Amino acid sequence: MILHRRRLLTATAGLAGASLLGGCDRFAGTPAGRRTLGIGEDANLYVQRLLMSDMTTAQEFPELMISPWFKPNGSIDPPDSAYKALAAKNFSEFKLKVDGLVETPLSLSLADVRALPSRTQITRHDCVEGWSCIGKWSGVPLAELLKKAGLKPQARYAVLHCADTLEYASLDGAWLKPSRPGTVREAHAAYVQLAAAGDWGGSPSGTASDGQADPDASDGRRPIRYYESIDLFDAFNPQTILAYDLNGKALPVSNGAPLRLRVERQLGYKNAKYVMRVEMVSSLAGFGDGKGGYWEDRGYEWYAGI
């Protein structure tokens, strides 16, 4: 019975994704289209939460089913100066920040993260574009980090700030957004995170989080980096991890080193790569267009449950 429901939900999500990518952009851009899509998303979230508890997990697979090659997607080699400096030293100077609405803000090295309780899971990554891969992920459960930091009562969402600049905005505040989903595959500069404010490497003013000028802000433009968000229901699920290993080896840059989110009950675009900071917040209104993620700001569902 659970399998049949899962297939139904997966098919529904696939049809929704296909409609977005297959020519419904004009309708989706109208007020009626946005209302219709919003109703569909609300229904998806309601049904998912009705059928599952916060401990319900996605299917896991035996090692013999691991894909011989886990396809990288989106950014595969971030051009950002700060990220390149970290990668050049094999992330030995990397620090994961966990802050916002927490009692004890954290700044953890990759060694610190690896020393925390870990989880390994073999799961299937389902991309909204229609392809899937099975991979073996090891990492720290996000719940462990949040327990270590201690959540304040107002905390409702985890916003994941990432390292990869995928688009630029002008320094005067005008956004340079892709006009349609397919645009991001036409040029690297078309990828973007809209939640740059105060994040690990950039802000709307073109300065870094330490107050210094962002080295990637130049020529009248500033970098805007990818972001995603999940609520506490998914943040505390046992399969929600910040992964540092893929198939028994350190996560490669193309797949999101040094850390990437794995939230196995949702579609691939929710599984943010190059995670630098986890910020606990009470509302998503202050990030990007207030929809909770880069793709969500462009019409995708915030809750991409499968």
Side-chain angles (χ1 to χ4, degrees):
M1 182 65 176
I2 293 176
L3 181 60
H4 291 314
R5 286 199 299 261
R6 184 175 178 81
R7 285 178 176 171
L8 174 62
L9 291 167
T10 302
T12 302
L15 289 172
S19 69
L20 278 171
L21 296 174
C24 291
D25 292 343
R26 183 177 301 175
F27 174 69
T30 66
R34 287 191 291 270
R35 286 194 298 271
T36 301
L37 292 173
I39 292 171
E41 179 178 358
D42 291 344
N44 181 26
L45 176 57
Y46 175 77
V47 172
Q48 289 275 345
R49 296 289 164 85
L50 183 66
L51 298 177
M52 300 186 298
S53 77
D54 56 353
M55 295 293 106
T56 304
T57 57
Q59 181 180 3
E60 297 192 18
F61 300 85
E63 292 208 6
L64 60 84
M65 295 188 68
I66 293 174
S67 301
W69 177 64
F70 198 95
K71 179 180 178 179
N73 197 35
S75 295
I76 60 173
D77 188 15
D80 304 68
S81 301
Y83 180 83
K84 284 187 172 295
L86 291 172
K89 296 183 178 181
N90 200 28
F91 302 104
S92 62
E93 297 182 358
F94 167 79
K95 294 288 186 181
L96 172 69
K97 294 181 180 179
V98 182
D99 59 9
L101 294 176
V102 299
E103 299 292 345
T104 307
L106 305 177
S107 180
L108 304 173
S109 69
L110 193 54
D112 293 333
V113 174
R114 285 181 171 273
L116 293 170
S118 65
R119 177 185 171 91
T120 296
Q121 57 205 35
I122 301 175
T123 53
R124 187 180 63 215
H125 177 102
D126 293 309
C127 181
V128 71
E129 294 176 341
W131 56 267
S132 298
C133 285
I134 293 176
K136 180 180 179 180
W137 304 96
S138 296
V140 59
L142 183 55
E144 289 290 337
L145 292 170
L146 300 185
K147 290 174 185 176
K148 186 176 180 68
L151 295 184
K152 292 186 176 180
Q154 313 95 297
R156 292 184 58 201
Y157 301 96
V159 176
L160 296 109
H161 299 275
C162 305
D164 49 331
T165 292
L166 302 173
E167 188 181 27
Y168 292 85
S170 63
L171 292 174
D172 63 6
W175 296 107
L176 306 177
K177 297 183 182 180
S179 59
R180 63 186 189 281
T183 306
V184 296
R185 290 186 290 275
E186 296 171 6
H188 178 78
Y191 277 91
V192 58
Q193 176 207 333
L194 291 178
D199 73 1
W200 77 281
S203 71
S205 62
T207 59
S209 57
D210 59 3
Q212 301 298 311
D214 191 319
D216 298 306
S218 63
D219 301 324
R221 63 181 188 174
R222 64 177 175 82
I224 316 171
R225 298 179 173 93
Y226 196 87
Y227 81 109
E228 256 303 343
S229 65
I230 56 176
D231 63 11
L232 297 185
F233 188 92
D234 281 310
F236 280 90
N237 183 271
Q239 284 182 326
T240 300
I241 66 174
L242 290 184
Y244 43 68
D245 285 349
L246 172 59
N247 296 337
K249 298 180 180 179
L251 193 64
V253 167
S254 60
N255 291 110
L259 296 172
R260 75 171 295 170
L261 178 69
R262 294 303 307 173
V263 53
E264 305 295 358
R265 301 184 303 184
Q266 299 201 43
L267 289 169
Y269 64 86
K270 297 293 294 188
N271 294 261
K273 301 195 293 185
Y274 314 112
V275 175
M276 299 288 129
R277 177 187 177 199
V278 179
E279 181 182 7
M280 301 308 299
V281 300
S282 60
S283 170
L284 301 175
F287 302 92
D289 286 349
K291 304 297 177 61
Y294 165 68
W295 283 115
E296 292 87 329
D297 288 332
R298 284 151 180 77
Y300 281 41
E301 293 183 343
W302 174 77
Y303 189 78
I306 54 175

Short mmCIF file of all heavy atoms in Angstrom, two decimals, residues 193-237:
data_model
loop_
_atom_site.label_atom_id
_atom_site.label_comp_id
_atom_site.label_asym_id
_atom_site.label_seq_id
_atom_site.Cartn_x
_atom_site.Cartn_y
_atom_site.Cartn_z
N GLN A 193 21.82 31.99 -6.41
CA GLN A 193 21.12 31.92 -5.13
C GLN A 193 20.64 33.33 -4.81
O GLN A 193 21.42 34.26 -4.87
CB GLN A 193 22.00 31.44 -3.99
CG GLN A 193 21.27 31.48 -2.67
CD GLN A 193 22.22 31.65 -1.52
OE1 GLN A 193 23.36 31.27 -1.59
NE2 GLN A 193 21.73 32.25 -0.47
N LEU A 194 19.40 33.46 -4.45
CA LEU A 194 18.86 34.78 -4.19
C LEU A 194 18.97 35.19 -2.72
O LEU A 194 18.50 36.24 -2.33
CB LEU A 194 17.38 34.84 -4.62
CG LEU A 194 17.17 34.75 -6.12
CD1 LEU A 194 15.69 34.76 -6.43
CD2 LEU A 194 17.87 35.89 -6.83
N ALA A 195 19.55 34.33 -1.89
CA ALA A 195 19.64 34.65 -0.46
C ALA A 195 21.06 34.98 -0.06
O ALA A 195 21.64 34.35 0.79
CB ALA A 195 19.12 33.49 0.37
N ALA A 196 21.65 35.97 -0.69
CA ALA A 196 23.04 36.29 -0.42
C ALA A 196 23.22 37.07 0.87
O ALA A 196 24.31 37.13 1.41
CB ALA A 196 23.62 37.09 -1.58
N ALA A 197 22.16 37.70 1.39
CA ALA A 197 22.31 38.63 2.50
C ALA A 197 22.94 37.97 3.72
O ALA A 197 22.40 37.03 4.27
CB ALA A 197 20.95 39.20 2.88
N GLY A 198 24.11 38.47 4.10
CA GLY A 198 24.76 38.02 5.31
C GLY A 198 25.25 36.59 5.27
O GLY A 198 25.56 36.02 6.30
N ASP A 199 25.31 35.96 4.10
CA ASP A 199 25.72 34.56 4.08
C ASP A 199 27.24 34.46 4.17
O ASP A 199 27.94 35.42 4.41
CB ASP A 199 25.14 33.82 2.88
CG ASP A 199 25.80 34.17 1.55
OD1 ASP A 199 26.74 34.99 1.52
OD2 ASP A 199 25.38 33.62 0.54
N TRP A 200 27.76 33.27 3.95
CA TRP A 200 29.17 33.02 4.24
C TRP A 200 30.09 33.80 3.33
O TRP A 200 31.22 34.11 3.69
CB TRP A 200 29.47 31.53 4.09
CG TRP A 200 29.58 31.11 2.67
CD1 TRP A 200 28.55 30.88 1.81
CD2 TRP A 200 30.77 30.92 1.93
NE1 TRP A 200 29.03 30.55 0.59
CE2 TRP A 200 30.40 30.56 0.63
CE3 TRP A 200 32.13 31.01 2.24
CZ2 TRP A 200 31.32 30.29 -0.37
CZ3 TRP A 200 33.04 30.73 1.23
CH2 TRP A 200 32.64 30.38 -0.04
N GLY A 201 29.64 34.16 2.14
CA GLY A 201 30.59 34.77 1.22
C GLY A 201 30.10 35.98 0.46
O GLY A 201 30.84 36.55 -0.32
N GLY A 202 28.89 36.40 0.64
CA GLY A 202 28.42 37.55 -0.13
C GLY A 202 27.18 38.16 0.47
O GLY A 202 26.47 37.54 1.24
N SER A 203 26.91 39.40 0.13
CA SER A 203 25.73 40.07 0.64
C SER A 203 25.22 41.04 -0.41
O SER A 203 25.91 41.32 -1.39
CB SER A 203 26.07 40.84 1.92
OG SER A 203 26.87 41.96 1.62
N PRO A 204 24.00 41.54 -0.27
CA PRO A 204 23.47 42.46 -1.27
C PRO A 204 24.32 43.69 -1.49
O PRO A 204 24.25 44.32 -2.54
CB PRO A 204 22.09 42.82 -0.70
CG PRO A 204 21.71 41.64 0.13
CD PRO A 204 23.00 41.19 0.74
N SER A 205 25.12 44.07 -0.50
CA SER A 205 25.96 45.26 -0.66
C SER A 205 27.26 44.97 -1.36
O SER A 205 28.07 45.86 -1.60
CB SER A 205 26.26 45.86 0.72
OG SER A 205 26.98 44.94 1.52
N GLY A 206 27.49 43.69 -1.69
CA GLY A 206 28.73 43.32 -2.35
C GLY A 206 29.88 43.16 -1.39
O GLY A 206 31.04 43.19 -1.79
N THR A 207 29.59 42.95 -0.11
CA THR A 207 30.63 42.73 0.88
C THR A 207 30.54 41.32 1.41
O THR A 207 29.49 40.67 1.37
CB THR A 207 30.51 43.71 2.06
OG1 THR A 207 29.22 43.54 2.66
CG2 THR A 207 30.66 45.14 1.59
N ALA A 208 31.66 40.82 1.90
CA ALA A 208 31.68 39.51 2.50
C ALA A 208 31.14 39.57 3.91
O ALA A 208 30.92 40.64 4.47
CB ALA A 208 33.11 38.97 2.51
N SER A 209 30.92 38.40 4.52
CA SER A 209 30.32 38.36 5.86
C SER A 209 31.22 39.00 6.91
O SER A 209 30.75 39.36 7.99
CB SER A 209 30.01 36.91 6.24
OG SER A 209 31.18 36.13 6.18
N ASP A 210 32.53 39.13 6.62
CA ASP A 210 33.42 39.78 7.57
C ASP A 210 33.53 41.27 7.32
O ASP A 210 34.35 41.96 7.92
CB ASP A 210 34.82 39.14 7.52
CG ASP A 210 35.45 39.23 6.14
OD1 ASP A 210 34.84 39.85 5.24
OD2 ASP A 210 36.56 38.71 5.96
N GLY A 211 32.71 41.82 6.43
CA GLY A 211 32.70 43.24 6.16
C GLY A 211 33.62 43.67 5.04
O GLY A 211 33.59 44.81 4.59
N GLN A 212 34.46 42.74 4.55
CA GLN A 212 35.38 43.06 3.46
C GLN A 212 34.64 42.96 2.13
O GLN A 212 33.60 42.34 2.01
CB GLN A 212 36.57 42.09 3.48
CG GLN A 212 37.37 42.11 4.78
CD GLN A 212 37.98 43.46 5.06
OE1 GLN A 212 38.62 44.05 4.19
NE2 GLN A 212 37.78 43.96 6.28
N ALA A 213 35.23 43.60 1.12
CA ALA A 213 34.63 43.54 -0.21
C ALA A 213 34.62 42.10 -0.72
O ALA A 213 35.59 41.36 -0.55
CB ALA A 213 35.41 44.42 -1.17
N ASP A 214 33.52 41.69 -1.30
CA ASP A 214 33.44 40.36 -1.89
C ASP A 214 34.33 40.32 -3.12
O ASP A 214 34.14 41.10 -4.06
CB ASP A 214 31.99 40.06 -2.29
CG ASP A 214 31.78 38.59 -2.66
OD1 ASP A 214 32.65 38.04 -3.33
OD2 ASP A 214 30.74 38.04 -2.27
N PRO A 215 35.34 39.43 -3.17
CA PRO A 215 36.26 39.40 -4.29
C PRO A 215 35.60 39.05 -5.62
O PRO A 215 36.17 39.28 -6.68
CB PRO A 215 37.29 38.34 -3.88
CG PRO A 215 36.57 37.48 -2.90
CD PRO A 215 35.66 38.42 -2.16
N ASP A 216 34.41 38.47 -5.56
CA ASP A 216 33.72 38.10 -6.79
C ASP A 216 32.76 39.18 -7.27
O ASP A 216 32.04 38.98 -8.24
CB ASP A 216 32.98 36.78 -6.59
CG ASP A 216 33.93 35.65 -6.27
OD1 ASP A 216 34.87 35.44 -7.05
OD2 ASP A 216 33.77 35.00 -5.23
N ALA A 217 32.71 40.31 -6.56
CA ALA A 217 31.87 41.43 -6.98
C ALA A 217 32.73 42.39 -7.80
O ALA A 217 33.71 42.95 -7.30
CB ALA A 217 31.29 42.15 -5.77
N SER A 218 32.39 42.56 -9.07
CA SER A 218 33.17 43.43 -9.94
C SER A 218 32.34 43.81 -11.15
O SER A 218 31.29 43.22 -11.41
CB SER A 218 34.46 42.74 -10.38
OG SER A 218 34.17 41.58 -11.13
N ASP A 219 32.83 44.79 -11.89
CA ASP A 219 32.19 45.19 -13.14
C ASP A 219 30.71 45.52 -12.95
O ASP A 219 29.86 45.18 -13.78
CB ASP A 219 32.34 44.10 -14.21
CG ASP A 219 33.80 43.80 -14.50
OD1 ASP A 219 34.61 44.74 -14.47
OD2 ASP A 219 34.13 42.62 -14.75
N GLY A 220 30.39 46.18 -11.81
CA GLY A 220 29.01 46.58 -11.60
C GLY A 220 28.06 45.45 -11.29
O GLY A 220 26.85 45.59 -11.44
N ARG A 221 28.57 44.34 -10.84
CA ARG A 221 27.69 43.22 -10.52
C ARG A 221 28.22 42.52 -9.26
O ARG A 221 29.37 42.67 -8.88
CB ARG A 221 27.64 42.21 -11.66
CG ARG A 221 28.99 41.55 -11.97
CD ARG A 221 28.88 40.60 -13.13
NE ARG A 221 30.11 39.83 -13.29
CZ ARG A 221 30.25 38.84 -14.16
NH1 ARG A 221 29.25 38.51 -14.95
NH2 ARG A 221 31.38 38.17 -14.24
N ARG A 222 27.34 41.75 -8.62
CA ARG A 222 27.75 41.00 -7.45
C ARG A 222 27.23 39.57 -7.58
O ARG A 222 26.19 39.32 -8.19
CB ARG A 222 27.21 41.64 -6.18
CG ARG A 222 25.70 41.63 -6.07
CD ARG A 222 25.26 42.23 -4.72
NE ARG A 222 23.81 42.33 -4.66
CZ ARG A 222 23.01 41.32 -4.33
NH1 ARG A 222 23.51 40.15 -4.07
NH2 ARG A 222 21.70 41.51 -4.28
N PRO A 223 27.96 38.63 -6.98
CA PRO A 223 27.52 37.23 -7.06
C PRO A 223 26.33 36.97 -6.17
O PRO A 223 26.22 37.51 -5.08
CB PRO A 223 28.76 36.46 -6.58
CG PRO A 223 29.46 37.42 -5.69
CD PRO A 223 29.24 38.78 -6.28
N ILE A 224 25.44 36.13 -6.62
CA ILE A 224 24.29 35.70 -5.83
C ILE A 224 24.35 34.17 -5.81
O ILE A 224 24.47 33.54 -6.85
CB ILE A 224 22.97 36.16 -6.44
CG1 ILE A 224 23.08 37.61 -6.88
CG2 ILE A 224 21.85 35.97 -5.46
CD1 ILE A 224 21.90 38.07 -7.68
N ARG A 225 24.27 33.59 -4.63
CA ARG A 225 24.58 32.18 -4.49
C ARG A 225 23.34 31.32 -4.20
O ARG A 225 22.37 31.79 -3.64
CB ARG A 225 25.66 32.01 -3.41
CG ARG A 225 26.95 32.71 -3.80
CD ARG A 225 28.04 32.59 -2.75
NE ARG A 225 29.29 33.14 -3.28
CZ ARG A 225 29.70 34.39 -3.12
NH1 ARG A 225 28.98 35.24 -2.42
NH2 ARG A 225 30.83 34.79 -3.65
N TYR A 226 23.44 30.07 -4.59
CA TYR A 226 22.34 29.12 -4.44
C TYR A 226 21.93 28.97 -2.97
O TYR A 226 22.77 29.07 -2.09
CB TYR A 226 22.76 27.77 -5.00
CG TYR A 226 21.64 26.80 -5.25
CD1 TYR A 226 20.97 26.81 -6.47
CD2 TYR A 226 21.26 25.87 -4.29
CE1 TYR A 226 19.94 25.91 -6.70
CE2 TYR A 226 20.24 24.97 -4.52
CZ TYR A 226 19.58 25.00 -5.72
OH TYR A 226 18.56 24.11 -5.96
N TYR A 227 20.66 28.73 -2.75
CA TYR A 227 20.20 28.43 -1.40
C TYR A 227 18.99 27.51 -1.46
O TYR A 227 18.35 27.35 -2.50
CB TYR A 227 19.85 29.71 -0.63
CG TYR A 227 18.48 30.31 -0.92
CD1 TYR A 227 17.47 30.26 0.03
CD2 TYR A 227 18.21 30.95 -2.13
CE1 TYR A 227 16.23 30.82 -0.21
CE2 TYR A 227 16.97 31.52 -2.38
CZ TYR A 227 15.98 31.44 -1.42
OH TYR A 227 14.75 32.00 -1.67
N GLU A 228 18.72 26.85 -0.34
CA GLU A 228 17.55 25.99 -0.19
C GLU A 228 17.07 26.07 1.25
O GLU A 228 17.75 26.64 2.11
CB GLU A 228 17.86 24.53 -0.55
CG GLU A 228 17.33 24.10 -1.91
CD GLU A 228 15.83 24.27 -2.07
OE1 GLU A 228 15.13 24.43 -1.04
OE2 GLU A 228 15.35 24.26 -3.20
N SER A 229 15.92 25.48 1.52
CA SER A 229 15.39 25.48 2.88
C SER A 229 14.48 24.28 3.09
O SER A 229 13.86 23.78 2.14
CB SER A 229 14.61 26.77 3.16
OG SER A 229 13.45 26.86 2.34
N ILE A 230 14.43 23.83 4.33
CA ILE A 230 13.50 22.78 4.74
C ILE A 230 12.95 23.17 6.11
O ILE A 230 13.53 23.99 6.82
CB ILE A 230 14.16 21.39 4.80
CG1 ILE A 230 15.38 21.42 5.72
CG2 ILE A 230 14.53 20.91 3.41
CD1 ILE A 230 16.03 20.05 5.90
N ASP A 231 11.83 22.57 6.48
CA ASP A 231 11.28 22.86 7.80
C ASP A 231 11.77 21.81 8.80
O ASP A 231 12.50 20.88 8.46
CB ASP A 231 9.76 22.97 7.77
CG ASP A 231 9.07 21.67 7.35
OD1 ASP A 231 9.74 20.61 7.29
OD2 ASP A 231 7.85 21.70 7.09
N LEU A 232 11.37 21.98 10.06
CA LEU A 232 11.86 21.09 11.11
C LEU A 232 11.37 19.66 10.94
O LEU A 232 12.04 18.71 11.35
CB LEU A 232 11.44 21.63 12.49
CG LEU A 232 12.00 22.99 12.87
CD1 LEU A 232 11.61 23.33 14.31
CD2 LEU A 232 13.51 23.05 12.71
N PHE A 233 10.21 19.48 10.30
CA PHE A 233 9.68 18.14 10.04
C PHE A 233 10.69 17.32 9.26
O PHE A 233 10.95 16.16 9.59
CB PHE A 233 8.37 18.28 9.26
CG PHE A 233 7.61 16.99 9.09
CD1 PHE A 233 6.64 16.62 10.00
CD2 PHE A 233 7.85 16.16 7.99
CE1 PHE A 233 5.92 15.43 9.83
CE2 PHE A 233 7.14 14.98 7.82
CZ PHE A 233 6.17 14.61 8.75
N ASP A 234 11.28 17.91 8.23
CA ASP A 234 12.28 17.20 7.43
C ASP A 234 13.68 17.32 8.02
O ASP A 234 14.51 16.41 7.85
CB ASP A 234 12.27 17.72 5.99
CG ASP A 234 11.13 17.14 5.18
OD1 ASP A 234 10.96 15.91 5.20
OD2 ASP A 234 10.39 17.90 4.54
N ALA A 235 13.97 18.42 8.70
CA ALA A 235 15.31 18.60 9.26
C ALA A 235 15.65 17.52 10.28
O ALA A 235 16.81 17.10 10.38
CB ALA A 235 15.43 19.98 9.91
N PHE A 236 14.64 17.03 11.01
CA PHE A 236 14.89 16.03 12.04
C PHE A 236 14.63 14.60 11.57
O PHE A 236 14.74 13.66 12.36
CB PHE A 236 14.06 16.34 13.29
CG PHE A 236 14.66 17.42 14.14
CD1 PHE A 236 14.34 18.75 13.93
CD2 PHE A 236 15.58 17.11 15.13
CE1 PHE A 236 14.91 19.75 14.71
CE2 PHE A 236 16.15 18.10 15.91
CZ PHE A 236 15.83 19.43 15.69
N ASN A 237 14.32 14.41 10.28
CA ASN A 237 14.19 13.07 9.76
C ASN A 237 15.54 12.36 9.79
O ASN A 237 16.57 12.98 9.48
CB ASN A 237 13.65 13.11 8.32
CG ASN A 237 13.41 11.73 7.75
OD1 ASN A 237 14.30 11.12 7.17
ND2 ASN A 237 12.21 11.23 7.92
#
